């Protein structure tokens, strides 16, 4: 019999189902984006596919009314969980004026929404790491008890900003969670050409913080690791490094052709471990999810996405005159 | 002469230099198996093997810094920054190190590295895949910055950069990669770094520019010819240090000067060009030195309306030339 | 009004702002217990405690980046770079992040950080403790760069920088720290960022400059007065974005313009100043726009013979003004 | 009875004495520099005092006819061992034209001398780390069997360039030795405010390389660690991280006043462990060093330094016209 793991973690059936729903929503939005791209309606997609479990598991382990997240471009699952709506995401993908992330100024995947404490991000990787540390520092100075979660790829963990930010947080014992979403590729480069360490979490000791590597296809394992890290952080015990292992199921982006550097078989094998399937199976085995619920979910999600797409497609682009706005405070 | 596009000229120059000199090697993100995200290093991995076409970890300061070390040893590294926007983590290595190695060691050491990077907009690249960042480096003696406009210049100048005994930044306009085609000799040749090139002779208006804007200027000039406006087009090619002589000559020739850059105006290369003219041939001028540039905003947005508003194009250039002609 | 030196004005501005607003805090290398290697933060640690006067690890990208994060949250960090030369590892954080946060988020987020750094030569600091690096940042909309020349301006502008809702780079001339003294009101005041200031009225020659060179110009002007040459001195104070109006007015006033910077010439701030003049008031000019600057070498050497040859001084300025007067 | 440790390491008595002589020479030059500074003859000093054992022990573990070193500003002991003469060092300190490091262009401590494979360095810390990796890469490409040794302070190990360089070397398995001279301060900041890790060598695992921490006051311990690292490197097994623990016996530089951030007692306590004394004692106990040899050494060294000082003081500064030279190849 399947063990009820979510209960052991203090998660109700509803919460577990909510995790699943958010993962599925992220996946379906992402799939729709590819369709829109391939039919010429949006110029660019960068995917979360394969990392939904890690993203949603992590986000649910936080206090979504209080904590800060500094997501990277794949973190559709994180921002959905933190309150960005599918419509807002579609507006961003269509680069429309109403996009709350940037008003259509940034590429999709460059998240930011102050009201949900989703901190604005850029393209150069890993710059968000010290920002997360600065936000945690500010929280500590103001005696708040929020934590900040910052995510990035395993390739990006080789940037100087990771090292400098992690060390700063370690010295100051700040409430930050560094989460490496190790999807085993940085564009064309397999992790073995990026990293000489066995695990990215091996780097934690160098910053005086605990490091842990968990299965990124298991939202509950990620939930648990991030929950523990958040608890530590709130207790004033400092930062943690969490590494989630999964696989990038799509090419790097819609501009990439991954057949030049990895085999179809490899991708197919990885798909066997798809968290959407495995978590669905888990929930079904426990009776939390049923055929009926799944159907309803599918319909509901399809409608949400259809509506969002329709609206976003028809929405207006920013007026050319707005180009000159918001360089400085007005 | 075979016709090829701009990026093919990059690849050919690399291939020829790697064949000619064993000390030449390429390093960067995704340059090996993948052949580069723009495919500038296409085929090099197959031909020269992974030791000389090195896929590096995602860390630009190391790409520059490791290249600098190898160059000091005596190699001829060609480092690729995937987008010029991502050269910024390597600024310290480039300005504190590469630029100053010969000077600070009183000529004992040198640093013959070439750093290539695609720059420029008009490709839906948004804020961080569209920038022109040359002016960040254009105040650093010890560096040279080359920004070619044609496949012919690309091949001749990239080969010259690789053979240069000092560090050269080689910025390639990514919109030009597949858009701009031209004749490129199959044989070996180099072009002089530091020399501007007259891309069109004319007598009424002098346009001084570089990169993709050279083509905008040439297209506008073509159209204006019909109206009887004769445009002289000087392509800077090397934007640092500037070819003062050629600038002075071109400005004096017509007395009416339009300077163009895709970068935003204040602090850009063309400000320096203007200062040279204002200092050296003020009394040859018949009109104020005009500048046409991107707007003063941090970078080019993604939305097509906004990108279009930002980018220069032949029409905007044509208008500016006509205005100056009518001055 | 009490007389104090330039660095005391820095300290006083910090102290007053930290007292006024709890969100203001200081971070950097050795700024706490040690009070800064130049002692700019002297006494702050004792007064405000280690939480608000933060000694950081030796990592400039983190100092900037952590500051930026705190600023996005709503704090008012004042980050110190120990020397402006060591700001280079933080260029990516400053240009990719601080400068673009408001714009890229369509005004949802902002980044009110101040980054202070001592710059400039004449202190036997050699290549890496003497540089003027402002022009690296002077092409980046979203940033402001303030470089004051007097203790009065230091206090008023540093307070304005800290209260500014956008990122401000605040560069202090390290030779001025103890050399330049002046009256500074004890009360609270700010001066407008973005506004140049006439430091001396004159009618024959216009000198436009900033930082320590303002004092060289004033000394030279004093001497030349006796010879009947009347010099107008405009202090840019904010070198990016430039105060175009004030520049145009000052240049038009005399028709003979000398631009001065301690930086090397090509690519420096004064090239932009020249371009503004050449574009806007060409026909008011009676002489070419002259530039006086450091030589085109990577930086200032250590040996006194070489440092002296590099540095500007009142004599060199005087000669240049006289030459222009005689034009 | 004192155990003969150097013999066990394959070092002859002469070699052991040579290590001692080089350490002593470095110390005496350094002391002279302070005198010259305090009497107004040279504007600036930055010291090796307290780190001579680590520096000389490391240098002797290399092949000084073949290997490359990328020293940092305190590495007087390294460059002496690699062939820079006391006269050359004095010329540099007086900033005279004949200074081989820079012709008087750089501050003292900015070493560089191509003929001795001492790679030119700058002031911004840690930039030399990727250079060392690049030199090792070049050696590997050219199938040479030299190694490169790069040194830096523990504070500097927090810079991004350390992380990026070390990871690059780890992935490519390059023959580099990263040596952290941990003198427990970065200017005013004690290691505890710089580092959250217990040992800097804890960072090695994050780059897939061995890390070791040794007593930096013991030249033989350092010799052994660096020798093993060099052997590994030459066998193609990749880089190593060696941390040497000692104490900075002087203020940070002649511009610093260390009384504002550490107690006299702390400095005095550290002086008890001065390697010059302890290694002298060790060699005397074994009879390798005698009163007579020590006296001769003292005299010899004093004469060398006197002569070097005299010459350097009288030597010419670079002609002002040379300011414009060597910006580019001529
Ligand atoms: C500083 C910088 N260099 C290069 C790039 C181009 N780039 C975008 S994503 C990427 C790979 C990132 O790999 P990883 O960190 O593993 O994240 P993943 O895409 O695999 O999720 C690269 C090289 C960039 N965005 N920023
Ligand atoms: C990038 C950079 N930032 C700041 C400085 C100023 N600085 C010079 S030495 C130093 C402390 C270095 O400490 P550590 O690395 O421990 O070496 P130590 O001096 O203790 O030998 C600092 C902050 C510098 N040289 N470079
Ligand atoms: Mg990855
Ligand atoms: Mg130290």
């Amino acid at each position: 019999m399947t063990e009820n793991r979510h209960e052991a973690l203090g998660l109700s059936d509803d919460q577990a189902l909510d995790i699943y729903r958010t993962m599925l929503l992220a996946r379906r939005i992402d799939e729709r984006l590819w369709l829109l791209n391939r039919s010429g309606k949006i110029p660019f997609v960068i995917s979360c596919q394969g990392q939904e479990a890690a993203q949603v598991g992590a986000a649910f382990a936080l206090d979504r009314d209080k904590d800060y997240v500094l997501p990277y471009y794949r973190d559709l699952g994180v921002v959905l969980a933190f309150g960005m709506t599918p419509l807002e995401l579609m507006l961003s993908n269509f680069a429309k004026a109403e996009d709350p992330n940037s008003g259509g100024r940034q590429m999709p995947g460059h998240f930011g929404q102050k009201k949900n404490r989703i901190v604005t991000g850029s393209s150069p990787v890993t710059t968000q790491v010290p920002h997360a540390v600065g936000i945690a520092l500010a929280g500590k100075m103001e005696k708040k008890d929020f934590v900040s979660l910052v995510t990035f790829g395993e390739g990006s963990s080789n940037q100087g900003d990771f090292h400098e930010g992690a060390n700063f947080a370690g010295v100051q014992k700040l409430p930050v969670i560094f989460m490496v979403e190790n999807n085993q590729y940085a564009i064309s480069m397999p992790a073995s050409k990026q990293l000489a360490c066995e695990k990215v979490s091996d780097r934690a000791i160098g910053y005086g913080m605990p490091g842990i590597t968990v299965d990124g296809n298991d939202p509950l394992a990620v939930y648990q690791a991030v929950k523990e890290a958040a608890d530590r952080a709130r207790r004033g015990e400092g930062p943690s490094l969490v590494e989630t292992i999964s696989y990038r199921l799509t090419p790097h982006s819609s501009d990439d052709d991954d057949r030049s550097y990895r085999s179809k078989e490899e991708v197919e094998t990885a798909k066997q471990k798809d968290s959407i399937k495995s978590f669905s199976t888990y929930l079904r085995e426990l009776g939390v999810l049923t055929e009926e619920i799944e159907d309803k979910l599918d319909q509901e999600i399809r409608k949400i996405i259809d509506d969002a797409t329709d609206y976003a497609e028809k929405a207006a682009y920013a007026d050319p005159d707005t180009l000159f706005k918001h360089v400085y405070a007005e | 002469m075979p016709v090829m596009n701009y990026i093919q000229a990059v690849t050919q120059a690399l291939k020829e230099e790697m064949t000619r000199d064993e000390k030449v090697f390429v390093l960067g993100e995704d340059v090996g198996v993948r052949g580069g995200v723009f495919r500038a290093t296409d085929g090099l991995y197959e031909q020269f093997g992974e030791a000389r076409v090195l896929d590096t970890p995602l860390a630009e300061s190391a790409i520059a810094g490791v290249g600098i070390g190898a160059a000091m040893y005596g190699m001829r590294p060609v480092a690729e920054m995937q987008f010029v926007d991502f050269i910024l983590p390597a600024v310290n290595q480039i300005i504190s190190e590469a630029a100053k190695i010969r000077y600070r060691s009183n000529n004992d050491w040198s640093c013959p590295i070439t750093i290539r990077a695609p720059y420029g907009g008009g490709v839906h690249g948004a804020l961080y895949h569209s920038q022109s960042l040359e002016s960040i480096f254009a105040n650093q003696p010890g560096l040279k910055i080359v920004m070619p406009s044609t496949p012919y210049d690309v091949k001749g100048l990239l080969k010259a950069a690789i053979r240069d005994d000092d560090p050269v930044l080689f910025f390639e306009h990514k919109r030009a990669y597949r858009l701009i085609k031209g004749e490129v000799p199959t044989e070996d040749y180099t072009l002089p770094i530091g020399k501007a090139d007259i891309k069109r002779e004319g007598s009424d208006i002098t346009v001084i520019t570089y990169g993709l804007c050279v083509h905008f200027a040439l297209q506008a000039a073509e159209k204006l010819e019909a109206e009887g406006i004769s445009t002289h087009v000087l392509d800077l090619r090397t934007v640092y240090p500037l070819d003062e002589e050629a600038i002075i000559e071109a400005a004096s020739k017509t007395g009416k000067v339009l300077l163009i850059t895709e970068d935003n105006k204040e602090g850009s290369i063309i400000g320096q060009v203007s200062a040279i003219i204002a200092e050296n041939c003020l009394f040859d001028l018949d009109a104020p030195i005009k500048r046409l540039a991107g707007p003063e905003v941090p970078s080019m947005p993604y939305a097509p309306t906004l990108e279009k508003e930002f980018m220069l194009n032949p029409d905007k250039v044509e208008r500016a030339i006509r205005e100056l002609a009518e001055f």
Side-chain angles (χ1 to χ4, degrees), chain A, chain B:
Chain A
M1 217 192 71
T2 303
E3 186 198 334
N4 187 326
R5 294 170 52 230
H6 63 271
E7 197 169 62
L9 292 169
L11 287 166
S12 68
D13 287 354
D14 275 357
Q15 286 174 308
L17 205 56
D18 200 8
I19 289 177
Y20 177 68
R21 183 187 175 279
T22 311
M23 286 167 56
L24 192 66
L25 181 58
R27 172 67 57 90
R28 295 290 176 255
I29 292 174
D30 204 280
E31 287 168 347
R32 179 66 60 90
L33 294 175
W34 281 91
L35 290 178
L36 291 167
N37 174 262
R38 292 314 185 212
S39 62
K41 295 203 170 174
I42 61 174
F44 182 76
V45 189
I46 193 149
S47 267
C48 66
Q49 292 187 40
Q51 296 167 229
E52 296 91 342
Q55 295 168 1
V56 178
F60 272 70
L62 299 178
D63 183 333
R64 287 176 284 152
D65 290 322
K66 182 161 80 181
D67 294 335
Y68 280 71
V69 284
L70 295 95
Y72 87 118
Y73 44 85
R74 298 203 189 282
D75 280 320
L76 192 46
V78 171
V79 301
L80 273 179
F82 260 74
M84 196 175 291
T85 68
L87 173 58
E88 290 170 334
L89 285 161
M90 277 299 169
L91 286 162
S92 160
N93 278 280
F94 278 94
K96 296 301 173 73
E98 288 176 81
D99 156 34
N101 297 279
S102 76
R105 290 176 171 193
Q106 291 219 75
M107 296 177 110
H110 290 60
F111 303 111
Q113 193 173 33
K114 198 167 193 176
K115 71 170 188 194
N116 285 320
R117 291 162 324 302
I118 299 167
V119 182
T120 174
S122 63
S123 306
V125 298
T126 330
T127 49
Q128 73 275 23
V129 171
H131 301 174
V133 179
I135 286 174
L137 175 69
K140 191 180 170 191
M141 288 172 92
E142 302 229 307
K143 307 210 169 20
K144 302 278 165 67
D145 79 334
F146 65 76
V147 308
S148 68
L149 168 79
V150 60
T151 56
F152 45 95
E154 83 294 345
S156 301
S157 79
N158 297 317
Q159 286 278 342
D161 269 3
F162 162 73
H163 179 68
E164 297 192 8
N167 182 60
F168 196 115
V171 170
Q172 295 283 338
K173 282 199 170 299
L174 298 176
V176 192
I177 303 165
F178 301 92
M179 184 167 114
V180 186
E181 297 185 30
N182 185 343
N183 60 10
Q184 303 179 47
Y185 279 90
I187 308 188
S188 70
M189 307 234 334
S192 61
K193 281 190 176 179
Q194 287 284 347
L195 302 162
C197 48
E198 263 175 60
K199 303 182 257 102
V200 179
S201 63
D202 285 343
R203 293 183 169 168
I205 187 177
Y207 313 115
M209 64 177 85
I212 184 173
T213 297
V214 295
D215 179 0
N217 285 321
D218 179 354
L220 300 179
V222 177
Y223 175 91
Q224 181 172 10
V226 173
K227 188 77 173 53
E228 277 166 19
D231 289 346
R232 277 194 79 237
R234 272 188 250 277
R235 287 195 304 267
E237 293 168 22
S240 306
L241 179 61
V242 176
E243 177 183 21
T244 62
I245 307 281
S246 61
Y247 189 89
R248 197 190 73 208
L249 296 176
T250 63
H252 173 73
S253 74
S254 53
D255 290 344
D256 183 34
D257 180 355
D258 61 341
R259 288 168 306 182
S260 64
Y261 55 82
R262 62 182 186 181
S263 69
K264 243 179 121 163
E265 293 69 45
E266 184 185 306
V267 181
E268 283 312 316
T269 308
K271 283 193 178 155
Q272 302 313 311
K273 301 193 197 147
D274 188 340
S275 66
I276 305 283
K277 279 189 223 147
S278 55
F279 197 50
S280 157
T281 306
Y282 164 84
L283 293 174
R284 277 170 188 257
E285 283 172 0
L286 289 175
V288 176
L289 186 64
T290 62
E291 190 91 23
E292 197 190 6
I293 301 181
E294 184 101 53
D295 282 350
K296 249 186 60 188
L297 257 185
D298 275 343
Q299 283 172 29
E300 178 207 337
I301 286 176
R302 178 179 316 229
K303 176 148 171 44
I304 288 172
I305 296 175
D306 285 346
D307 291 351
T309 306
D310 282 352
Y311 184 96
E313 194 173 355
K314 290 186 200 126
Y317 285 118
D319 191 282
D321 291 346
T322 65
L323 176 69
F324 308 95
K325 277 200 164 165
H326 310 313
V327 179
Y328 300 101
E330 268 144 43
Chain B
M1 261 194 288
V3 168
M4 62 177 69
N5 63 31
Y6 189 101
I7 195 168
Q8 286 169 326
V10 172
T11 313
Q12 193 173 103
L14 291 172
K15 199 171 284 189
E16 289 182 18
E17 289 306 295
M18 291 181 75
T19 306
R20 187 187 58 79
D21 182 354
E22 282 215 325
K23 303 255 178 206
V24 179
F25 73 99
V26 162
L27 75 168
E29 295 154 11
D30 307 291
V31 298
V33 179
R34 179 81 177 83
V37 295
F38 288 99
R39 312 205 63 72
T41 53
D42 196 21
L44 301 183
Y45 183 87
E46 291 72 16
Q47 186 172 346
F48 300 103
E50 72 176 327
R52 289 181 67 201
V53 188
L54 207 73
D55 271 327
T56 66
L58 175 38
E60 284 75 10
S61 189
I63 294 172
V66 169
I68 288 167
M72 284 200 278
Y73 174 83
M75 306 301 282
R76 297 267 161 178
V78 183
E80 175 175 300
M81 300 284 150
Q82 202 158 77
F83 287 82
V84 84
D85 314 72
F86 308 140
I87 204 172
L88 294 180
V91 165
N92 190 36
Q93 281 291 344
I94 295 169
I95 294 181
S96 298
E97 301 300 319
K100 295 182 174 65
I101 281 169
R102 184 185 295 282
Y103 193 76
R104 78 179 184 217
S105 68
N106 207 22
N107 215 29
D108 193 28
W109 292 88
S110 66
C111 183
I113 190 175
T114 302
I115 300 179
R116 295 179 41 249
Y119 77 98
V123 298
H124 309 302
L127 271 73
Y128 298 98
H129 299 80
S130 302
Q131 292 174 87
S132 296
L133 293 180
E134 59 275 12
S135 71
I136 289 178
F137 302 99
N139 174 240
Q140 299 299 333
L143 295 181
K144 298 172 184 172
I145 311 174
V146 175
M147 301 179 76
S149 66
T150 67
Y152 177 81
D153 288 354
V154 163
K155 180 171 166 185
L157 286 166
L158 183 50
K159 289 166 78 93
I162 293 169
R163 296 182 202 180
D164 198 284
D165 289 329
D166 291 300
V168 178
L169 304 181
F170 195 88
F171 294 153
E172 303 155 9
H173 200 294
K174 70 176 83 71
R175 176 105 175 86
Y177 271 161
R178 292 188 163 79
L179 183 71
I180 304 299
K181 298 179 174 54
E183 293 195 328
V184 178
T186 41
E187 58 268 23
D188 178 43
Y189 66 97
T190 62
L191 294 170
I193 293 175
K195 292 283 169 221
D197 185 48
I198 297 167
K199 284 284 187 300
R200 180 187 173 104
E201 293 275 357
S203 51
D204 297 328
I205 303 286
T206 297
V207 172
I208 305 180
T209 184
Y210 57 99
L212 187 63
C213 291
V214 170
H215 300 281
F216 298 163
L218 290 174
Q219 283 172 52
E222 193 77 28
K223 272 184 89 174
L224 289 163
E225 190 73 63
E227 297 177 27
I229 298 172
S230 166
T231 310
H232 190 80
V233 179
L234 185 72
D235 179 358
L236 290 170
R237 293 204 299 202
T238 297
V239 301
Y240 188 80
L242 288 164
D243 183 352
E244 298 213 3
E245 207 178 318
I247 290 167
I248 293 168
E249 197 182 305
S252 306
K253 191 172 183 207
T254 70
K256 285 185 171 183
V257 186
L258 175 67
L259 309 176
I260 310 180
T261 183
E262 184 180 314
D263 193 4
N264 51 286
K265 192 194 228 176
E266 186 169 343
S268 72
I269 295 293
I270 60 172
Q272 300 309 314
V273 176
S274 178
I276 291 168
I277 298 170
E279 191 158 23
N280 291 284
C281 40
L282 187 84
F283 299 116
D284 297 327
L285 297 181
D286 303 314
I289 305 169
K290 280 287 166 200
R291 289 176 293 165
L292 180 64
E296 303 297 351
V297 308
S299 183
M300 210 173 293
Y302 184 58
T305 45
L306 301 177
E307 186 184 68
K308 190 164 162 239
E309 181 74 12
F310 186 114
M311 270 299 278
L312 294 184
N313 59 36
D315 287 345
K316 294 183 190 177
V317 172
E318 190 189 320
R319 239 173 294 143
I321 296 177
R322 190 179 293 113
E323 230 168 71
L324 195 54
E326 288 163 3
F327 184 87

